[in-house]
Amino acid sequence: MKTTINFKLLVGCFCMLFFLSSCKDGTKTETTTSQAEKVETGKVEKQGQAFIKDDESTPNVLNIAVGSPDHTTLVAAVQAADLENALVNAGPLMVFAPTNAAFDALPPGTVEDLLKPENKNALANILKHHVTPGNYSKDFLKKFKKLGQANNQNTTVEVKGEDVYVGGAKIVASIPAGNGIVHVVDKVILPPADE
C-alpha cells in the first residue's frame, strides 16, 4: 500500500513539474517573440539605470544635462555614443558640459560627422574626455595642474584671475548633482593627439 501511495505521489509531482515547466516555456516564447517584434519595428527600448524614471531623487549629471535647454547638442552626442548609463553611475563624477554654443563654434560639419554611427567610438572618446572622477568645486580645481579624464588621457587646469579653465574651456557655471557636479564650459575639450 505504501508503495502505491509513493508511486501516485511521484507521478503527481512529475505531472505538476511538467505543467509548470510548460507554462514557463510559453512565457519565454512570448517574451522572445515580443522582443523580436520590437527589433523588427525598430522600437527597442533602451535599458539600464539611465532610463528609470525617478522624480524623487536629486538629479544626477545626466538629468541636469537633459533638463538644460543649453545642452541639447551634448545630450544628443551622449545618446549617439550610448553613454547615458555611464553618466548615472554612483560616481562621484565631474562633467565638463559644453554648451550648444560651444559645439556651434567647432568647424562646420564637425558635430554632424561625429554623430554618424561609424564615428561612435571617436565621439565616445571626446565625450569621455569631458568626465573626471571626483566632485570638486571650481575653487578646489584651482589646486590642480592637470586632471585624469575618463578616456585615460589628461587635460590641463589653468587659473586666470578668478576664472578656471579645463582643457582650455572656461568654467562658466557649476551645478551640484546627486552623483557629482556639472561644470558648464564654453568650449568643447578635445583630447590631445599626442597621448
Side-chain angles (χ1 to χ4, degrees):
M1 184 90 168
K2 269 187 175 179
T3 308
T4 308
I5 293 172
N6 286 339
F7 179 71
K8 287 181 181 177
L9 183 63
L10 187 62
V11 169
C13 288
F14 277 125
C15 289
M16 185 63 107
L17 284 172
F18 178 74
F19 176 74
L20 289 174
S21 67
S22 296
C23 291
K24 193 174 183 182
D25 288 344
T27 305
K28 282 183 183 175
T29 305
E30 277 181 34
T31 304
T32 306
T33 304
S34 177
Q35 288 288 21
E37 288 171 3
K38 286 180 181 178
V39 170
E40 285 176 15
T41 60
K43 295 181 180 177
V44 177
E45 293 179 20
K46 290 192 174 190
Q47 296 181 2
Q49 222 174 351
F51 306 100
I52 296 172
K53 302 292 181 202
D54 180 8
D55 296 331
E56 295 179 17
S57 299
T58 304
N60 57 49
V61 294
L62 180 63
N63 298 142
I64 290 169
V66 168
S68 168
D70 294 325
H71 291 91
T72 56
T73 305
L74 175 62
V75 171
V78 166
Q79 291 169 339
D82 285 328
L83 292 175
E84 298 100 327
N85 284 313
L87 294 177
V88 297
N89 287 337
L93 300 173
M94 277 190 302
V95 174
F96 300 98
T99 60
N100 292 340
F103 281 102
D104 291 343
L106 293 172
T110 302
V111 174
E112 293 79 9
D113 193 45
L114 284 170
L115 292 176
K116 292 178 181 174
E118 61 268 22
N119 295 325
K120 182 177 174 180
N121 290 337
L123 177 61
N125 183 53
I126 291 169
L127 293 174
K128 289 177 184 178
H129 197 67
H130 288 79
V131 179
T132 305
N135 185 359
Y136 307 128
S137 68
K138 176 181 158 183
D139 286 336
F140 195 79
L141 284 171
K142 292 177 181 178
K143 299 178 181 185
F144 291 87
K145 295 288 181 201
K146 65 180 180 176
L147 296 171
Q149 303 302 84
N151 69 338
N152 295 319
Q153 292 182 304
N154 295 319
T155 194
T156 59
V157 177
E158 296 176 87
V159 179
K160 299 177 185 176
E162 288 300 309
D163 295 325
V164 177
Y165 293 79
V166 176
K170 179 181 172 182
I171 297 176
V172 295
S174 299
I175 306 156
N179 63 338
I181 191 166
V182 175
H183 293 295
V184 178
V185 293
D186 66 350
K187 284 178 60 178
V188 175
I189 306 169
L190 296 174
D194 58 348
E195 275 193 44

